[in-house]
Amino acid sequence: MKKILSRNEIKKEFKWNIEDLFESDELWQRTYDSTEASFGELEKYAGSLDIKGLYSCLKLRDSISLNVEQLYVYANLRANENSANTLYQELSGKADRLLTLYSKAVAFIEPAILAMDKQELISAMDKELKEYRHYIEDILRSSEHILSADKEEILAQVYEIAQGPSNIFYMLNNADIKFKNAVDSKGEEHTLTHGTYSSCLESKDRELRRSAFNNVYDSYYAQKNTLAAIYSASVKKDVFNANIRNYSSALEAMLFSGNIPTEVYHSLIETVNRHLPLMHRYIRLRKKILGIGDMDMYDIYTPLVDNFDTRKTYEEAKSTVLEALKPLGEKYCNLLEKALNTEGWVDIYENKGKRSGAYSWGAYGCHPFVSLNYDDTVNSMFTLAHEMGHAMHSHYTWDNQPVVYGDYTIFVAEVASTVNEALLMRHLLNTVTDTNEKKYLLNYFMEQFRGTLFRQTMFAEFELETHTMAERGETLTFENMCRLYSELNAKYYGKDINNNEKISWEWARIPHFYTAFYVYQYATGYSAAITLSEKILNENGAEKYIDFLKSGSSKYSIDLLKDAGVDMTKSEPVERAMKVFEGLLDDMEKLTV
Ligand SMILES: [Zn+2]
């Protein structure tokens, strides 16, 4: 086994330049003290904020929030470098405290805006408040769903109780539920946890896959009535919320915060449904390649291509990614090259105590930071492309937007990362010569489509149906939810796979269902990104796309994507993504006959 180095054994050129954020811990502490003291300046506006004072109040808030964010990010990035370093755990605890104080200090602003004279406010939005127009419009939009002060007071108190279902599920799923060990074809036992379950399902050993699948689902089945009661309570909470706040449905209520029209949701489901024969074709192909006559639900995750082992050093990965992203234009690539080679955005290798996985993060006013645990696999090359997509999105946004629009919403969050992955994939598919490598890449890409576009839409459909049932006053029982899930599963995967009875219990183990109407964004974001990458490659779409990266949250997500060339209220982006999937299927079929 390879030896893991301690952080100070790693060469400086492989680590990020965190000093670009704060030169020293002393400077961090001084900034911390002055930022905390500046909260007092904000308090002067509380209780007397009017339209005249609004601009200077918001400016002050933004400059304070910039400091709070930088302090918070620095402490946490430092803590992530090495969890054994207690100094930075202490700093991140302090940063948490500052963030809480900040949220309290600014809490008066939105209610004050809602209480202002609407006509005067609207006319000021054309003049001195121009910079904040979209921000204020978004606040005003919520006014018809805000209740009288005494009702809001009660709802605020009910909030914690309303978290009940999700908290109970969390405890059951993470603390109490236990799985029997899985047993492989040689009779060896494997410990089953949420973490090891997916690697068991990816195993080449079919007996191990079957055993893991059976043992996990049997544990959930043993709690079936409890699980149905918790999920049913969660759905009722969503319906209650929608009713009391004057929304026409739970779906409308949940999509309201991002101003996403409900037709985006319906159109996704409708379009994916029309293309389900492609999913069925994929399952048939899988069955053929794996050579399994009676394919079952536990045969879906195992890779189609084995013995593929191409090592990619970090240097090779970097130049491949840079080459693949050329369609985004010279400016993008020059910036990216600097970020990778001279500006110290990336922390490349694993060290003792470093946070696992990969992420991109940062704060307005500095460059983004990317943490990897690069391990020379093709997978980690894709991760590099993915995280640099996020980082470049932040960089362009921070360079072009004021603080108030310096972030981006969940709806578009995975677009830039997926576009980069798709461009890298296209580049590799066009250049690799080895058949096995090509099959490996096609499998990798098709699995993304299955997991992100098809599976998340199936989840979305389940959520819509359960909420609609509750809205009609029907009771959600274990039996009727399993019936629904089983029908969906059969519809999505087709006749060439056994619709195992246990899979109808799957809804009972999905944590995301406790944040209703959330997962559809994975499917819409993925479709938007695939369509954008096609437009970049074939229709000179790069310029509009770069404008999208520059725009942060300065408009609603749907409008930002429309400007970039994808209209998510129409079926076209999902249809185009499906065309890409069909092309991959064609290629894979050709390589397997
Ligand atoms: Zn991501």
Side-chain angles (χ1 to χ4, degrees), residues 386-387 390 413-414 417-418 421:
H386 181 105
E387 298 307 334
H390 286 308
E414 290 303 325
S417 51
T418 310
E421 277 200 68

Side-chain angles (χ1 to χ4, degrees), residues 104-122:
K104 281 190 187 146
V106 299
F108 72 93
I109 298 178
E110 288 191 16
I113 291 175
L114 282 164
M116 287 171 185
D117 183 282
K118 221 172 168 178
Q119 282 319 310
E120 278 179 47
L121 195 54
I122 287 169

Side-chain angles (χ1 to χ4, degrees), residues 324-546:
L325 298 184
K326 271 191 175 158
L328 293 176
E330 223 180 294
K331 263 195 187 153
Y332 185 100
C333 290
N334 288 343
L335 269 168
L336 180 62
E337 195 175 351
K338 270 210 284 182
L340 289 169
N341 291 331
T342 53
E343 295 200 334
W345 291 21
V346 189
D347 205 79
I348 306 164
Y349 297 110
E350 186 182 6
N351 60 247
K352 271 186 207 143
K354 180 170 164 178
R355 191 178 132 174
S356 61
Y359 61 90
S360 159
W361 202 26
Y364 193 99
C366 185
H367 59 74
F369 293 90
V370 170
S371 175
L372 305 174
N373 281 279
Y374 194 83
D375 65 358
D376 291 359
T377 56
V378 172
N379 243 326
S380 63
M381 176 169 67
F382 275 99
T383 305
L384 172 69
H386 181 105
E387 298 307 334
M388 291 318 287
H390 286 308
M392 293 294 282
H393 191 180
S394 297
H395 170 79
Y396 272 110
T397 290
W398 294 340
D399 240 25
N400 290 279
Q401 295 298 328
V403 177
V404 64
Y405 306 129
D407 55 357
Y408 39 78
T409 63
I410 305 282
F411 195 83
V412 299
E414 290 303 325
V415 170
S417 51
T418 310
V419 163
N420 279 11
E421 277 200 68
L423 293 176
L424 174 59
M425 181 55 83
R426 278 288 175 221
H427 171 72
L428 292 173
L429 285 174
N430 287 336
T431 51
V432 298
T433 46
D434 181 81
T435 311
N436 226 21
E437 188 172 357
K438 192 157 187 176
K439 279 188 183 172
Y440 175 88
L441 292 167
L442 288 167
N443 178 205
Y444 184 101
F445 207 5
M446 288 194 295
E447 270 302 288
Q448 273 193 346
F449 275 87
R450 187 194 59 72
T452 316
L453 185 46
F454 289 98
R455 181 171 165 83
Q456 305 303 327
T457 305
M458 177 174 146
F459 285 172
E461 211 172 331
F462 176 77
E463 290 184 274
L464 182 61
E465 195 52 42
T466 50
H467 284 79
T468 310
M469 283 162 74
E471 279 159 354
R472 283 195 302 250
E474 292 169 32
T475 311
L476 296 174
T477 62
F478 182 78
E479 284 70 26
N480 62 21
M481 287 193 280
C482 289
R483 200 178 315 122
L484 166 63
Y485 202 86
S486 174
E487 282 165 15
L488 285 171
N489 197 70
K491 182 171 84 171
Y492 273 71
Y493 289 98
K495 290 194 175 70
D496 284 280
I497 189 162
N498 177 28
N499 192 26
N500 197 313
E501 189 202 349
K502 294 183 201 279
I503 202 71
S504 69
W505 314 335
E506 188 176 37
W507 59 267
R509 53 170 281 262
I510 308 294
H512 265 319
F513 284 163
Y514 291 85
T515 313
F517 304 118
Y518 182 90
V519 297
Y520 82 99
Q521 301 174 103
Y522 294 125
T524 47
Y526 191 77
S527 310
I530 294 297
T531 299
L532 280 168
S533 67
E534 291 293 300
K535 292 195 178 213
I536 290 161
L537 289 170
N538 307 317
E539 294 160 32
N540 298 320
E543 207 176 310
K544 276 187 181 174
Y545 172 69
I546 302 290

Side-chain angles (χ1 to χ4, degrees), residues 39-40 42-43 46 64 99-109:
F39 291 175
L42 267 175
E43 271 163 33
I64 295 175
L99 191 64
T100 310
L101 290 175
Y102 170 78
S103 315
K104 281 190 187 146
V106 299
F108 72 93
I109 298 178

